[in-house]
Structure formats: C-alpha cells, structure tokens
Amino acid sequence: NAGVTQTPKFQVLKTGQSMTLQCAQDMNHNSMYWYRQDPGMGLRLIYYSASEGTTDKGEVPNGYNVSRLNKREFSLRLESAAPSQTSVYFCASSVAVQETQYFGPGTRLLVL
Amino acid sequence: QKEVEQNSGPLSVPEGAIASLNCTYSDRGSQSFFWYRQYSGKSPELIMFIYSNGDKEDGRFTAQLNKASQYVSLLIRDSQPSDSATYLCAVNRDNYGQNFVFGPGTRLSVLP
C-alpha cells in the first residue's frame, strides 16, 4: 500500500517548456487535489477533483490544467512554464472533499 | 484578513516542555479542523482532526477547539527534539473541495 505517489520527484524546466506531473493513489479515495507550496505562502490549492469525472479550480489555477484520468490518477499539466511556477507541488487525496487529506511526497520544480 | 492565521514562529521550547500552537480562522461556519506536521523537505502528515468544541487528546497531542472565539490550538506535551517541524492548521469551511484552507504554518523548535 503505497498511499499517494508522485512523479517526478524533481524537475528543471526552461521558460516556455511544458510538462505533466503525475499523481496516483491506491487508497480508493474519491477526491484528489493539487497544491503548490511556496515559502511564506503555505499550501495553495491549484485544482481539485471531488470525484472521478469532475475537476474544479482552486485558489491559483492560472497556467495549469488537470486531468482526472481515472479514480486512481490525477495529473497536473503546465503548458508553458514560467519562473513564477517554481515551487513544490503536492498531490493529495481524501475519501471525500470534507475528509482528511493525505499527501504525496511532492515534486520540486525549478523553472529557469 | 487571511482566512486561516498562524504565528509563523519560530517557537522555541526546551525538551520536556509543553508546546502550544495556535490558529485562528475567519469563517464562523467552518466545520472541521486539522493539524498537520511537516518536516523540512517532506510532505505534510496528519496529526489529528477535531470537529466539536472542547479538547481531543491523542497521546502527547491535544487539540482544542473554540468555535465561539474562532480558534483552534494544538498542545504537545513532553516535547521532544523530533517534534521540531512546521505545524500546519487546516480548516474545512464546508463540503466543497476548494474550501479546505491551510494556514501558513508555525515552525517549532524543541531544544535539547
């Protein structure tokens, strides 16, 4: 039982490049989330998926897209990376949106 | 006013002492409250949650909720150097995914 897994662990991009961050959970959770964490800013919600087949914007969705591929997988795509997207990205999942969230190990992204 | 506020710290306590971490929130209708611990370079992990006014104890940890005053606190008894981390308060305002809001965190340092 791996919980929430994320790939890659670390990535360096040049401005304008695109990439997809992958997230998968094996806890049979319905809801999944993408956050970014910046120094002094705490965790900020980018997008979430309350259940398979639905996605909704969070606090900071600009510059990102998501796909809920199936119940297990929720990916985050940066179409044209910008230095302002340098951050640590966490994926999380929960049984339902009001329940405890469990986090993956994070992806450290550096955009030059 | 930020939705969830915490003193950024660092809060320094000697080993064996009680560490008291505080969190205030602005939405009076908030329903559930969570404390996460995050070690440097790691992902947040749940310590405990509380839904009802009063105290909830789990080992060395006690969460206290006062909805009338809109604050939630975490007490750590017999603090250990291994408790040194950033503690994140999270508030779920309702049953919608985007309303699970994290505070900026308080950095705790337990001195041997």
Side-chain angles (χ1 to χ4, degrees), chain B residues 4 13 16 40 60 62 83 97:
Chain B
V4 180
V13 300
S40 180
R60 295 187 297 114
T62 299
D83 294 325

Side-chain angles (χ1 to χ4, degrees), chain A:
Chain A
N1 190 341
V4 180
T5 58
Q6 293 182 237
T7 56
K9 287 185 169 55
F10 182 73
Q11 184 73 45
V12 180
L13 291 178
K14 295 181 179 179
T15 296
Q17 288 185 317
S18 63
M19 79 163 296
T20 299
L21 283 64
Q22 306 286 355
C23 174
Q25 52 90 11
D26 62 3
M27 296 179 283
N28 200 34
H29 284 173
N30 292 302
S31 304
M32 298 185 74
Y33 313 80
W34 277 105
Y35 290 90
R36 60 178 290 173
Q37 187 174 39
D38 304 294
M41 300 292 290
L43 285 159
R44 292 184 293 169
L45 184 65
I46 304 171
Y47 271 93
Y48 73 102
S49 172
S51 60
E52 186 179 357
T54 69
T55 60
D56 284 286
K57 296 178 180 179
E59 180 186 355
V60 289
N62 291 344
Y64 306 95
N65 285 300
V66 291
S67 295
R68 183 75 183 265
L69 304 171
N70 48 55
K71 190 172 185 179
R72 289 187 63 248
E73 299 172 288
F74 189 38
S75 63
L76 178 71
R77 183 160 178 84
L78 287 70
E79 292 290 352
S80 179
S84 60
Q85 294 178 305
T86 293
S87 188
V88 180
Y89 291 85
F90 288 105
C91 177
S93 71
S94 63
V95 171
V97 292
Q98 65 270 35
E99 301 295 336
T100 301
Q101 295 182 18
Y102 297 90
F103 286 80
T107 294
R108 283 152 183 78
L109 176 65
L110 175 62
V111 183
L112 301 175

